[in-house]
């Protein structure tokens, strides 16, 4: 499932303008996932691989006016679409690679990552990079608005035991990358994994 940086930019760049229209019903799922993540007022949160910024409003609501919301994406067209939608009003948008974040160590309270994990070129190293910027005890949410089976069906493929997002694969991957998984949900209508940064 991992793809190189250029392929990711080409794939999402070509789809950015129509992305929100293609998935018009995802908003409530993003809001529920952010609510279940348990952010607090004043938290500093990174939306990693933010795309068109569909989580930004919910993240801003969760952290309040005293919190910080930073959206990072690799694809300029996705960030442009986020700005056209006015989502930069909810937080800063930054063109950057989540594999090499321009963020100091342990300055964030949490990372929210929607649809990101399958596109990471080196999931272990990339999850370690997310851990680097989060304080010990901070949180990580890996989210997708539909579950693994529904997503596989959408792409015309079968789920296999080696799927990186399967609980038996993802748990050890996260543990070896600085995170302790605290909950795992893979339902038809959402995929949500929550984890805490190792002390």
């Amino acid at each position: 499932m991992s793809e190189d940086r250029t392929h990711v930019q080409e794939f999402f760049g070509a789809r950015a303008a129509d992305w929100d229209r293609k998935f018009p019903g995802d908003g409530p799922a993003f809001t529920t996932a952010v609510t279940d993540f348990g952010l607090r007022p004043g938290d500093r949160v990174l939306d990693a691989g933010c795309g068109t910024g569909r989580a930004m409003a919910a993240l801003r609501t969760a952290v309040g006016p005293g919190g910080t919301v930073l959206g990072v994406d690799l694809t300029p067209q996705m960030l442009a679409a986020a700005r056209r939608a006015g989502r930069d009003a909810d937080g800063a948008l930054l063109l950057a690679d989540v594999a090499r974040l321009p963020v100091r160590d342990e300055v964030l309270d949490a990372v929210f990552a929607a649809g990101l994990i399958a596109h990471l070129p080196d999931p272990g190293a990339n999850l370690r990079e997310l851990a680097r910027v989060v304080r010990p005890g901070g949180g990580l949410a890996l989210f997708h608005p539909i579950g693994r089976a529904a997503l596989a069906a959408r792409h015309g493929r079968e789920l296999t035991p080696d799927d990186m997002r399967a609980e038996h694969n993802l748990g050890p991957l996260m543990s070896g990358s600085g995170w302790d998984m605290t909950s795992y949900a893979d339902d038809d209508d959402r995929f949500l994994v929550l984890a805490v940064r190792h002390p």
Side-chain angles (χ1 to χ4, degrees):
M1 293 284 293
S2 66
E3 302 167 57
D4 68 48
R5 193 173 188 269
T6 302
H7 183 91
V8 169
Q9 286 179 313
E10 290 173 353
F11 179 89
F12 287 105
R15 291 161 176 79
D18 295 322
W19 192 260
D20 288 353
R21 284 192 293 275
K22 188 173 180 182
F23 305 106
D26 285 351
F30 275 81
T31 300
T32 300
V34 170
T35 299
D36 291 348
F37 191 16
L39 295 169
R40 297 165 301 193
D43 275 354
R44 295 159 297 180
V45 60
L46 171 68
D47 186 354
C50 66
T52 61
R54 293 183 294 170
M56 298 283 284
L59 293 170
R60 170 55 62 200
T61 297
V63 304
T68 299
V69 178
L70 174 62
V72 168
D73 203 272
L74 186 61
T75 307
Q77 297 93 325
M78 282 289 195
L79 294 175
R83 290 187 182 95
R84 283 194 302 275
R87 292 170 179 150
D88 52 340
D90 295 309
L93 295 171
L94 181 64
L95 180 66
D97 188 345
V98 298
R100 294 181 300 278
L101 289 165
V103 178
R104 293 192 314 272
D105 293 357
E106 300 183 2
V107 297
L108 300 174
D109 298 295
V111 174
F112 184 85
L116 178 70
I117 187 103
H119 299 286
L120 295 175
D122 185 345
N126 303 149
L127 286 169
R128 281 192 294 279
E129 174 66 358
L130 295 180
R132 178 187 68 78
V133 300
V134 173
R135 63 171 173 78
L140 171 67
L142 300 177
F143 168 70
H144 198 284
I146 59 175
R148 291 186 311 122
L151 186 61
R154 177 186 285 175
H155 294 297
R157 60 177 175 78
E158 296 287 327
L159 278 180
T160 62
D162 63 348
D163 183 336
M164 177 179 54
R165 291 164 296 181
E167 186 172 9
H168 65 271
N169 295 325
L170 188 57
L173 174 65
M174 294 181 75
S175 181
S177 304
W179 302 98
D180 291 318
M181 185 187 297
T182 58
S183 69
Y184 181 95
D186 181 20
D187 306 313
D188 285 343
D189 58 351
R190 80 163 174 178
F191 175 85
L192 181 64
V193 174
L194 302 180
V196 173
R197 161 85 147 72
H198 291 169

